[in-house]
Amino acid sequence: MKGLKKKIALLLAMSMTAAMLAACGESGEENPDNEGGQEQEEAIVDGKYTEPVTISYAVKADAAMKFPEGDSYDDNVWSRYIADELGINLEVAWSADGATEAYSNKITMSIANDDLPDIFSVYYGDYYEAATAGMLADMTDLIEEYGSDQLKEIFANNEELVEACKIDGKLYCIPQFGTSSELNAQFLWIRQDWLDAVGMEAPTTWDELVEVARAFTTQDPDGNGVDDTYGIGLSGSSPWWGGIASFEGFAGAFQAVGSQNWIKNDEGEIVYGGIQPEMKEALAAANAMYEEGLLDPEFMTKDVETVIADIYNNKIGMAFGMNYAGYYPLLTAVQENPEAVWKPYPFVSATDELATCSVWWPLDTYTCISADCPNPEAAVLIANLYVATNNDETPAEVSEKYVYSGDTSTYMLCPVRMTASATEFETYRQVKAIEEGTMAYEDLVGVYKTNYDAIQAYLDGDTSQYGYWSQLGLEGAAGIVVDQYIPNNQVILTEIHGGMPEEVSGEVGLIQAAEIEYYAQIISGTLDIDAFDDWVDEFYTLGGDKVTEVVNETFNQ
């Protein structure tokens, strides 16, 4: 532990060296033009305040958080860690339930009353409002000046996301990066054992996909002698839930923008993907499969959980879903039926262009620092400590204290946090390197060794490790992203980051509900395909013009 503390202290100290040199002339004398900055820099030595400072913060309370006896949000493993390592005393300004609207309402009230804590996290709407009202500290130069090399590397690796967070060219937050945006792409999951049973290869075009769906529907792929299987699973009530049974693969085959996302058109205007002509083609293709009986005739009334039950009961042979589908729900399917082998494959195209997949920005929330905070750089020092403590090579004994303690996510007690990197891609690269002989197993460290061992355990017969193999192995979803989706630019990133503006939440809710209803009825043939044009009119009737205007005002800078 002492060695880790020295390592962290060194990382933090390095981040200060350039700033201290900048405040001095070549002869080592103080720069008279930087007296204010010099006073602040002298207050931080080796990445720690020489005199403790107090920083207030808002707590997004979690009922699932389990504290050891005597601990609380006011005094816990992270508050003590931050005080010991950085000389920063955290003080809870207020707390509110994060599982309900209580926290969001409290933040909205705090912004309205211009009464913000020093550090707080928000979604994009509140971030934009507070920033444009001059209520947030400009973090642009502070991150460059006080950020550790490790923190700066994370920002450099997420440059597009950082730029999207800027308002009028300035960064007023420390973004809570999620995993890589490309990792949010979806895949075509197929019962490989069914493919083998009907003597077919995985499809590479839409026509081939239809042929496979036809075989899965008509050729008794499970061998039970009963006509009870369907080619592909789809949830009519939740077509955009990405976990499994999504409509995204239908949309992507026609280069339509799904998942209720927004994109820029050729004129540079942000428009709603769900009303573009390509989506009409995707719906027509789905309707053709439905009319032939390749989709469950009851799909309209089935939510995702019902479709998952069909997967468990060996009724479905294909479905579009996320990279993590191998952990849920397909892990259970594999464990309940040892003969089942679900494998991820790339989306297929119905046109001369490559299939696409639209994804949301991997930005969870925005950590903001009040413009009235006397020590805004403290947030950067906390971020340095967080990424130095919670990363791919974190020793187990440290992770068990500051990241996960039993079934408690202790990392959430840190008021400034982010995901350090997308370990899924790097795991795949290292697994591939070992297979190719360019890397030795002994060189694996941290989470990469854990992941590799889990993959090998599945290959040796341990079905409980199936999720690791299906996501990270040589034939897994991460490899599809690395080897195909990214180099071929098949992932389309929505122009919305951090959530829709609150002022149009009502209209957005009505639009999304109407879209699901129209799509289900068009696919089932209850409505003719030309009813898509009626849906476009309905979009505007429900406030689509207003939403489009607000979206462009907010995100099209």
Side-chain angles (χ1 to χ4, degrees):
M1 177 63 74
K2 289 182 179 179
L4 176 68
K5 284 193 171 186
K6 288 181 179 179
K7 178 180 177 182
I8 292 172
L10 178 60
L11 283 169
L12 299 177
M14 288 173 63
S15 71
M16 306 309 303
T17 303
M20 296 185 71
L21 289 174
C24 301
E26 292 183 4
S27 64
E29 297 179 357
E30 293 185 4
N31 184 343
D33 295 331
N34 196 31
E35 292 182 2
Q38 180 67 22
E39 181 181 351
Q40 178 59 59
E41 285 151 9
E42 287 179 346
I44 300 174
V45 176
D46 293 339
K48 181 176 181 178
Y49 287 98
T50 56
E51 294 294 332
V53 300
T54 299
I55 297 294
S56 66
Y57 77 109
V59 171
K60 185 181 291 187
D62 182 359
M65 182 65 68
K66 299 177 181 178
F67 291 102
E69 185 176 355
D71 277 16
S72 64
Y73 280 112
D74 296 280
D75 181 14
N76 56 70
V77 63
W78 267 97
S79 65
R80 294 188 292 270
Y81 189 31
I82 289 169
D84 292 343
E85 295 292 339
L86 306 177
I88 299 172
N89 295 323
L90 294 178
E91 182 179 89
V92 176
W94 50 262
S95 65
D97 186 7
T100 66
E101 295 182 357
Y103 181 88
S104 177
N105 291 340
K106 183 72 173 178
I107 282 290
T108 300
M109 185 180 300
S110 297
I111 293 174
N113 295 332
D114 194 10
D115 183 23
L116 293 167
D118 292 330
I119 297 177
F120 57 97
S121 63
V122 294
Y123 294 113
Y124 189 84
D126 288 328
Y127 166 59
Y128 183 83
E129 180 181 351
T132 53
M135 301 171 69
L136 303 183
D138 180 0
M139 304 302 292
T140 314
D141 294 334
L142 292 178
I143 291 170
E144 180 62 31
E145 186 173 358
Y146 294 95
S148 65
D149 289 344
Q150 193 174 14
L151 183 69
K152 291 177 183 176
E153 182 180 2
I154 293 172
F155 273 72
N157 291 340
N158 292 275
E159 183 178 2
E160 188 176 12
L161 291 175
V162 173
E163 289 301 313
C165 294
K166 290 182 178 180
I167 297 174
D168 295 330
K170 295 183 178 181
L171 187 67
Y172 292 97
C173 69
I174 297 178
Q176 286 192 25
F177 302 118
T179 54
S180 166
S181 56
E182 290 88 358
L183 193 61
N184 290 331
Q186 294 186 35
F187 306 86
L188 171 60
W189 291 84
I190 306 181
R191 282 280 299 262
Q192 184 64 44
D193 54 311
W194 283 17
L195 272 179
D196 296 340
V198 298
M200 301 182 74
E201 300 290 331
T204 58
T205 67
W206 186 260
D207 287 342
E208 291 177 359
L209 182 148
V210 173
E211 287 296 326
V212 170
R214 187 175 293 123
F216 284 178
T217 304
T218 63
Q219 295 184 26
D220 190 24
D222 60 348
N224 67 352
V226 181
D227 183 13
D228 61 352
T229 58
Y230 297 99
I232 191 163
L234 177 64
S235 168
S237 64
S238 304
W240 299 124
W241 186 77
I244 203 71
S246 166
F247 190 70
E248 183 66 42
F250 289 89
F254 294 87
Q255 296 76 48
V257 175
S259 298
Q260 298 179 326
N261 282 340
W262 295 69
I263 57 165
K264 281 187 178 179
N265 61 18
D266 294 339
E267 288 71 43
E269 179 188 15
I270 300 177
V271 296
Y272 187 55
I275 61 172
Q276 304 308 310
E278 295 84 1
M279 191 63 74
K280 187 175 183 178
E281 297 180 68
L283 290 168
N287 168 253
M289 293 184 73
Y290 177 87
E291 295 292 345
E292 191 178 341
L294 309 185
L295 289 177
D296 184 345
E298 299 178 359
F299 90 94
M300 283 183 65
T301 61
K302 290 193 172 184
D303 58 17
V304 173
E305 292 303 320
T306 307
V307 178
I308 289 174
D310 288 340
I311 290 174
Y312 292 163
N313 291 322
N314 300 307
K315 305 298 183 186
I316 295 170
M318 290 188 289
F320 297 109
M322 294 287 286
N323 72 89
Y324 57 74
Y327 300 99
Y328 177 80
L330 299 181
L331 174 59
T332 300
V334 169
Q335 290 187 297
E336 290 186 355
N337 180 8
E339 295 181 359
V341 181
W342 283 90
K343 285 179 61 176
Y345 288 95
F347 275 5
V348 298
S349 177
T351 73
D352 293 335
E353 300 179 40
L354 290 171
T356 58
C357 183
S358 56
V359 300
W360 287 89
W361 286 86
L363 277 175
D364 296 327
T365 51
Y366 303 74
T367 300
C368 300
I369 297 82
S370 169
D372 295 329
C373 177
N375 299 99
E377 73 287 337
V380 182
L381 299 187
I382 295 173
N384 291 342
L385 183 63
Y386 181 84
V387 299
T389 305
N390 182 12
N391 59 64
D392 306 343
E393 300 180 8
T394 301
E397 66 271 16
V398 177
S399 179
E400 289 168 3
K401 183 175 183 179
Y402 297 111
V403 185
Y404 293 101
S405 180
D407 58 356
T408 299
S409 301
T410 48
Y411 73 92
M412 295 186 68
L413 294 170
C414 183
V416 185
R417 58 185 184 268
M418 63 185 67
T419 298
S421 63
T423 59
E424 294 86 356
F425 294 161
E426 185 57 27
T427 293
Y428 165 72
R429 293 187 182 102
Q430 294 192 17
V431 170
K432 187 176 181 180
I434 290 175
E435 180 68 19
E436 295 175 344
T438 58
M439 181 178 180
Y441 171 79
E442 292 74 18
D443 294 331
L444 291 170
V445 296
V447 68
Y448 302 114
K449 182 178 185 303
T450 300
N451 291 343
Y452 183 88
D453 289 345
I455 293 168
Q456 292 305 120
Y458 171 76
L459 293 174
D460 290 337
D462 183 358
T463 57
S464 69
Q465 305 304 308
Y466 161 76
Y468 289 89
W469 172 80
S470 65
Q471 183 191 44
L472 309 173
L474 290 177
E475 299 177 273
I480 294 172
V481 177
V482 171
D483 293 339
Q484 178 169 325
Y485 282 0
I486 291 178
N488 292 334
N489 297 315
Q490 290 178 254
V491 178
I492 301 175
L493 198 58
T494 182
E495 295 293 333
I496 309 299
H497 40 89
M500 293 292 288
E502 185 67 25
E503 64 187 284
V504 292
S505 60
E507 289 86 352
V508 170
L510 292 173
I511 287 169
Q512 292 181 345
E515 177 185 85
I516 291 173
E517 183 67 20
Y518 266 101
Y519 284 12
Q521 293 194 53
I522 291 172
I523 293 171
S524 67
T526 305
L527 293 177
D528 184 83
I529 186 60
D530 289 331
F532 181 83
D533 302 326
D534 297 330
W535 148 239
V536 175
D537 293 337
E538 184 76 0
F539 169 82
Y540 292 108
T541 299
L542 295 174
D545 276 329
K546 176 185 176 182
V547 177
T548 302
E549 180 180 356
V550 171
V551 163
N552 277 274
E553 289 176 352
T554 305
F555 301 108
N556 201 359
Q557 298 184 54

